[in-house]
Tab-separated table of all heavy atoms in Angstrom:
chain	number	residue	atom	x	y	z
A	1396	LYS	N	84.693	87.277	121.717
A	1396	LYS	CA	84.489	87.684	120.326
A	1396	LYS	C	85.381	86.783	119.485
A	1396	LYS	O	86.598	86.980	119.428
A	1396	LYS	CB	84.871	89.154	120.135
A	1396	LYS	CG	83.870	90.134	120.737
A	1396	LYS	CD	84.272	91.566	120.440
A	1396	LYS	CE	83.221	92.567	120.868
A	1396	LYS	NZ	81.964	92.469	120.086
A	1397	ILE	N	84.783	85.785	118.874
A	1397	ILE	CA	85.561	84.736	118.215
A	1397	ILE	C	85.436	84.833	116.694
A	1397	ILE	O	84.339	85.031	116.164
A	1397	ILE	CB	85.112	83.338	118.686
A	1397	ILE	CG1	85.230	83.249	120.213
A	1397	ILE	CG2	85.934	82.240	118.013
A	1397	ILE	CD1	84.841	81.889	120.781
A	1398	TRP	N	86.561	84.689	116.014
A	1398	TRP	CA	86.549	84.698	114.544
A	1398	TRP	C	85.953	83.398	114.029
A	1398	TRP	O	86.452	82.311	114.320
A	1398	TRP	CB	87.975	84.863	113.999
A	1398	TRP	CG	87.997	84.971	112.505
A	1398	TRP	CD1	88.281	83.988	111.611
A	1398	TRP	CD2	87.695	86.142	111.735
A	1398	TRP	NE1	88.170	84.463	110.334
A	1398	TRP	CE2	87.814	85.789	110.376
A	1398	TRP	CE3	87.332	87.451	112.058
A	1398	TRP	CZ2	87.586	86.692	109.344
A	1398	TRP	CZ3	87.109	88.347	111.025
A	1398	TRP	CH2	87.239	87.965	109.689
A	1399	ARG	N	84.837	83.503	113.291
A	1399	ARG	CA	84.208	82.316	112.695
A	1399	ARG	C	84.333	82.418	111.188
A	1399	ARG	O	84.015	83.442	110.592
A	1399	ARG	CB	82.711	82.226	113.079
A	1399	ARG	CG	82.395	82.119	114.562
A	1399	ARG	CD	83.066	80.963	115.280
A	1399	ARG	NE	82.928	79.633	114.688
A	1399	ARG	CZ	82.069	78.698	115.076
A	1399	ARG	NH1	81.224	78.940	116.053
A	1399	ARG	NH2	82.037	77.514	114.504
A	1400	GLN	N	84.817	81.354	110.586
A	1400	GLN	CA	85.004	81.330	109.135
A	1400	GLN	C	84.798	79.897	108.684
A	1400	GLN	O	85.541	79.004	109.116
A	1400	GLN	CB	86.417	81.848	108.805
A	1400	GLN	CG	86.737	81.910	107.329
A	1400	GLN	CD	88.097	82.578	107.052
A	1400	GLN	OE1	88.614	83.337	107.862
A	1400	GLN	NE2	88.673	82.261	105.906
A	1401	LYS	N	83.807	79.643	107.825
A	1401	LYS	CA	83.414	78.270	107.475
A	1401	LYS	C	84.533	77.479	106.796
A	1401	LYS	O	84.732	76.311	107.058
A	1401	LYS	CB	82.188	78.302	106.551
A	1401	LYS	CG	80.897	78.602	107.278
A	1401	LYS	CD	79.697	78.278	106.416
A	1401	LYS	CE	78.396	78.611	107.120
A	1401	LYS	NZ	78.267	80.054	107.460
A	1402	ASN	N	85.246	78.169	105.881
A	1402	ASN	CA	86.322	77.486	105.160
A	1402	ASN	C	87.278	78.536	104.616
A	1402	ASN	O	87.092	79.738	104.862
A	1402	ASN	CB	85.754	76.629	104.020
A	1402	ASN	CG	84.849	77.453	103.127
A	1402	ASN	OD1	85.225	78.546	102.703
A	1402	ASN	ND2	83.643	76.965	102.859
A	1403	ALA	N	88.284	78.093	103.872
A	1403	ALA	CA	89.324	79.005	103.399
A	1403	ALA	C	88.747	80.133	102.540
A	1403	ALA	O	89.297	81.238	102.517
A	1403	ALA	CB	90.365	78.222	102.612
A	1404	ASN	N	87.652	79.881	101.839
A	1404	ASN	CA	87.116	80.892	100.912
A	1404	ASN	C	86.066	81.802	101.531
A	1404	ASN	O	85.758	82.858	100.991
A	1404	ASN	CB	86.513	80.212	99.684
A	1404	ASN	CG	87.543	79.365	98.973
A	1404	ASN	OD1	88.710	79.770	98.871
A	1404	ASN	ND2	87.156	78.183	98.524
A	1405	ASP	N	85.522	81.378	102.671
A	1405	ASP	CA	84.510	82.190	103.348
A	1405	ASP	C	85.142	83.501	103.821
A	1405	ASP	O	86.326	83.561	104.119
A	1405	ASP	CB	83.979	81.378	104.541
A	1405	ASP	CG	82.884	82.115	105.291
A	1405	ASP	OD1	82.182	82.915	104.657
A	1405	ASP	OD2	82.753	81.891	106.513
A	1406	LYS	N	84.318	84.565	103.856
A	1406	LYS	CA	84.849	85.859	104.292
A	1406	LYS	C	85.141	85.888	105.798
A	1406	LYS	O	86.124	86.460	106.239
A	1406	LYS	CB	83.861	86.982	103.918
A	1406	LYS	CG	84.487	88.008	102.964
A	1406	LYS	CD	83.497	89.065	102.546
A	1406	LYS	CE	83.268	90.079	103.532
A	1406	LYS	NZ	83.699	91.125	104.064
A	1407	GLY	N	84.274	85.280	106.567
A	1407	GLY	CA	84.475	85.202	108.006
A	1407	GLY	C	84.097	86.469	108.734
A	1407	GLY	O	84.061	87.549	108.163
A	1408	LYS	N	83.751	86.315	110.051
A	1408	LYS	CA	83.444	87.496	110.868
A	1408	LYS	C	83.592	87.162	112.345
A	1408	LYS	O	83.649	85.991	112.731
A	1408	LYS	CB	82.020	87.985	110.564
A	1408	LYS	CG	80.896	86.990	110.874
A	1408	LYS	CD	79.550	87.673	110.687
A	1408	LYS	CE	78.371	86.851	111.176
A	1408	LYS	NZ	78.183	85.557	110.520
A	1409	LEU	N	83.637	88.201	113.175
A	1409	LEU	CA	83.696	87.996	114.613
A	1409	LEU	C	82.285	87.741	115.120
A	1409	LEU	O	81.360	88.455	114.756
A	1409	LEU	CB	84.271	89.237	115.303
A	1409	LEU	CG	85.785	89.429	115.246
A	1409	LEU	CD1	86.152	90.784	115.829
A	1409	LEU	CD2	86.525	88.329	115.988
A	1410	VAL	N	82.135	86.710	115.961
A	1410	VAL	CA	80.824	86.401	116.528
A	1410	VAL	C	80.941	86.467	118.054
A	1410	VAL	O	81.927	86.011	118.625
A	1410	VAL	CB	80.360	84.997	116.080
A	1410	VAL	CG1	79.030	84.641	116.723
A	1410	VAL	CG2	80.254	84.938	114.555
A	1411	ASP	N	79.924	87.061	118.687
A	1411	ASP	CA	79.933	87.188	120.153
A	1411	ASP	C	79.348	85.942	120.824
A	1411	ASP	O	78.328	85.422	120.382
A	1411	ASP	CB	79.076	88.393	120.580
A	1411	ASP	CG	79.784	89.707	120.279
A	1411	ASP	OD1	80.834	89.666	119.625
A	1411	ASP	OD2	79.261	90.760	120.702
A	1412	TYR	N	80.013	85.488	121.890
A	1412	TYR	CA	79.488	84.388	122.704
A	1412	TYR	C	79.572	84.793	124.159
A	1412	TYR	O	80.590	85.364	124.582
A	1412	TYR	CB	80.317	83.110	122.496
A	1412	TYR	CG	80.248	82.559	121.091
A	1412	TYR	CD1	81.208	82.918	120.134
A	1412	TYR	CD2	79.231	81.694	120.715
A	1412	TYR	CE1	81.148	82.429	118.841
A	1412	TYR	CE2	79.162	81.192	119.412
A	1412	TYR	CZ	80.122	81.565	118.486
A	1412	TYR	OH	80.055	81.078	117.209
A	1413	LYS	N	78.532	84.466	124.920
A	1413	LYS	CA	78.581	84.677	126.373
A	1413	LYS	C	78.951	83.338	126.995
A	1413	LYS	O	78.425	82.302	126.596
A	1413	LYS	CB	77.199	85.092	126.902
A	1413	LYS	CG	76.749	86.426	126.351
A	1413	LYS	CD	76.960	87.526	127.390
A	1413	LYS	CE	76.497	88.867	126.839
A	1413	LYS	NZ	77.573	89.832	126.705
A	1414	ILE	N	79.850	83.343	127.973
A	1414	ILE	CA	80.164	82.103	128.673
A	1414	ILE	C	80.185	82.403	130.170
A	1414	ILE	O	80.809	83.384	130.601
A	1414	ILE	CB	81.474	81.453	128.150
A	1414	ILE	CG1	81.771	80.160	128.909
A	1414	ILE	CG2	82.652	82.387	128.193
A	1414	ILE	CD1	82.797	79.275	128.202
A	1415	ASN	N	79.480	81.569	130.950
A	1415	ASN	CA	79.323	81.841	132.389
A	1415	ASN	C	80.032	80.782	133.228
A	1415	ASN	O	80.313	79.677	132.752
A	1415	ASN	CB	77.841	81.866	132.757
A	1415	ASN	CG	77.136	83.010	132.040
A	1415	ASN	OD1	77.760	84.024	131.685
A	1415	ASN	ND2	75.843	82.842	131.783
A	1416	ASP	N	80.309	81.147	134.458
A	1416	ASP	CA	80.902	80.236	135.446
A	1416	ASP	C	82.227	79.633	134.988
A	1416	ASP	O	82.472	78.435	135.138
A	1416	ASP	CB	79.925	79.092	135.791
A	1416	ASP	CG	78.611	79.647	136.313
A	1416	ASP	OD1	78.664	80.679	137.024
A	1416	ASP	OD2	77.555	79.078	135.983
A	1417	VAL	N	83.082	80.458	134.421
A	1417	VAL	CA	84.407	79.980	134.010
A	1417	VAL	C	85.300	79.953	135.253
A	1417	VAL	O	85.372	80.928	135.998
A	1417	VAL	CB	85.012	80.918	132.948
A	1417	VAL	CG1	86.447	80.531	132.634
A	1417	VAL	CG2	84.157	80.924	131.690
A	1418	SER	N	85.963	78.831	135.492
A	1418	SER	CA	86.866	78.739	136.651
A	1418	SER	C	88.209	79.388	136.309
A	1418	SER	O	88.749	79.152	135.221
A	1418	SER	CB	87.087	77.271	137.013
A	1418	SER	OG	88.312	77.137	137.692
A	1419	PRO	N	88.782	80.156	137.238
A	1419	PRO	CA	90.097	80.760	136.970
A	1419	PRO	C	91.194	79.714	136.832
A	1419	PRO	O	92.268	80.008	136.318
A	1419	PRO	CB	90.342	81.661	138.192
A	1419	PRO	CG	89.295	81.332	139.191
A	1419	PRO	CD	88.213	80.550	138.535
A	1420	ASP	N	90.944	78.496	137.284
A	1420	ASP	CA	91.960	77.445	137.175
A	1420	ASP	C	91.953	76.735	135.829
A	1420	ASP	O	92.841	75.933	135.537
A	1420	ASP	CB	91.745	76.400	138.281
A	1420	ASP	CG	91.924	77.011	139.662
A	1420	ASP	OD1	92.712	77.973	139.761
A	1420	ASP	OD2	91.258	76.545	140.608
A	1421	MET	N	90.948	77.025	135.006
A	1421	MET	CA	90.914	76.400	133.674
A	1421	MET	C	92.040	76.950	132.802
A	1421	MET	O	92.430	78.093	132.960
A	1421	MET	CB	89.608	76.773	132.959
A	1421	MET	CG	88.411	75.999	133.352
A	1421	MET	SD	87.047	76.652	132.346
A	1421	MET	CE	85.716	75.654	132.966
Side-chain angles (χ1 to χ4, degrees):
Chain A
K1396 287 183 173 293
I1397 303 181
W1398 184 260
R1399 300 304 309 260
Q1400 181 174 338
K1401 284 195 182 61
N1402 53 49
N1404 302 321
D1405 182 29
K1406 241 177 78 79
K1408 62 173 189 299
L1409 282 173
V1410 177
D1411 286 8
Y1412 296 93
K1413 296 259 180 244
I1414 180 164
N1415 296 334
D1416 303 324
V1417 173
S1418 155
D1420 297 331
M1421 280 180 181

